[in-house]
Amino acid sequence: MILHAASRLFLKEGFANTSMDTVAKASGVSKQTVYSHFESKDALFKAAITSKCRSYQLDTQQLINATSNALSLFECLQKVGHQFMRLLQDPDAIAIFRVIIAEAVNNPHVATLFYQAGPEASLETLSDVIETYGRGSLNHDLAHQLACDYCSLLKGDYHTMMLCGIQSPLSDEEIQSHVAQAAEKILLLFTHYTQQSGSRSSL
C-alpha cells in the first residue's frame, strides 16, 4: 500500500515534490509507519523502481532463476529480452524516465538513485547470468560488456522514440522478432569470446 502510493506520487509529482508526509497521507497511514518500512525517501524511491523491475521478472532473484531452469543461453536471453521490452514500453516506466530526465539537471542525486535501483542492478545481475553460462571461459568484465551490448541492442532508437512520444508500443510478434535478432547477435559475440578463451587455454 505504501509502495503503491509512493510510486503514484513519484510519477505525478516528481521526486523533489514528493515527501514522506504526502506518502503517508496517500497511504492512509502515519508518517512513523512509513519510516518503519523505509528509512528515507531515497530508500522508498529505490524500492519503487525495484518493484517495477520485479513485476517484469527483471529483479536479481528471477534473473538468477533463469539459469536454473535448463534454458539455453539463447532461450534465457529471449526470456529476459521479452520482459525488458515490455518494461520499456510500460506507461509508468516511460513516465518515470521522463521524471528523471526533467529533474536530473537540478537534482542529479535522483538520477543516481534511479540508475542504481534499475539499470545498474539489472545489468549487474544479467552479467552474472551470462558469466554463469560461460562456465569459466568468460570473465566478468566481458560478461558485463555483453549485458550492456544486449540492452543497447534492445533499446536501439526505439526507446528514445518512446520517450519522445513518437513511437507506438510494439506488438508481441514485433517484440519477439526484435528480441530474437538482438539475442542472436549477443550469442555470436558470446561464442566468439568463449572460443577465444578456449584457444588461449590450449596454448
Side-chain angles (χ1 to χ4, degrees):
M1 181 169 53
I2 295 173
L3 197 57
H4 177 73
S7 297
R8 305 306 331 152
L9 284 169
F10 285 133
L11 288 175
K12 182 180 178 182
E13 306 294 339
F15 180 86
N17 293 325
T18 298
S19 68
M20 297 296 261
D21 280 321
T22 57
V23 170
K25 290 176 182 177
S27 305
V29 300
S30 68
K31 186 177 178 179
Q32 182 178 0
T33 299
V34 176
Y35 273 109
S36 70
H37 289 85
F38 305 96
E39 62 182 17
S40 65
K41 187 169 75 167
D42 285 5
L44 181 55
F45 180 74
K46 291 179 75 170
I49 300 302
T50 300
S51 177
K52 175 57 73 173
C53 292
R54 184 179 297 120
S55 71
Y56 282 94
Q57 302 176 14
L58 292 173
D59 63 301
T60 299
Q61 189 56 53
Q62 292 185 87
L63 282 176
I64 290 175
N65 287 345
T67 65
S68 60
N69 291 331
L71 297 177
S72 67
L73 175 58
F74 182 69
E75 291 170 329
C76 180
L77 288 173
Q78 283 187 305
K79 178 181 176 64
V80 171
H82 192 272
Q83 294 301 91
F84 184 79
M85 292 301 295
R86 289 182 60 226
L87 174 61
L88 286 186
Q89 62 186 33
D90 181 289
D92 286 348
I94 293 171
I96 198 62
F97 261 105
R98 289 171 176 164
V99 167
I100 300 305
I101 292 169
E103 294 194 22
V105 174
N106 295 319
N107 189 7
H109 175 64
V110 69
T112 299
L113 292 175
F114 170 78
Y115 183 74
Q116 290 174 341
E120 184 177 56
S122 295
L123 277 172
E124 191 58 34
T125 306
L126 182 55
S127 301
D128 291 339
V129 169
I130 292 173
E131 186 177 5
T132 298
Y133 277 100
R135 294 179 174 82
S137 61
L138 194 72
N139 65 46
H140 187 73
D141 287 342
L142 279 177
H144 182 76
Q145 186 58 57
L146 286 175
C148 291
D149 289 344
Y150 188 44
C151 290
S152 295
L153 286 170
L154 291 173
K155 284 175 149 183
D157 61 351
Y158 161 80
H159 189 225
T160 300
M161 293 172 71
M162 285 291 293
L163 292 177
C164 293
I166 56 176
Q167 169 69 53
S168 299
L170 301 180
S171 66
D172 284 342
E173 292 77 15
E174 289 172 326
I175 288 176
Q176 186 174 359
S177 175
H178 178 67
V179 168
Q181 291 177 30
E184 286 172 359
K185 292 172 184 175
I186 294 303
L187 190 60
L188 284 173
L189 287 171
F190 175 86
T191 302
H192 171 71
Y193 288 140
T194 52
Q195 287 179 345
Q196 272 195 333
S197 175
S199 297
R200 287 194 297 267
S201 299
S202 63
L203 294 178

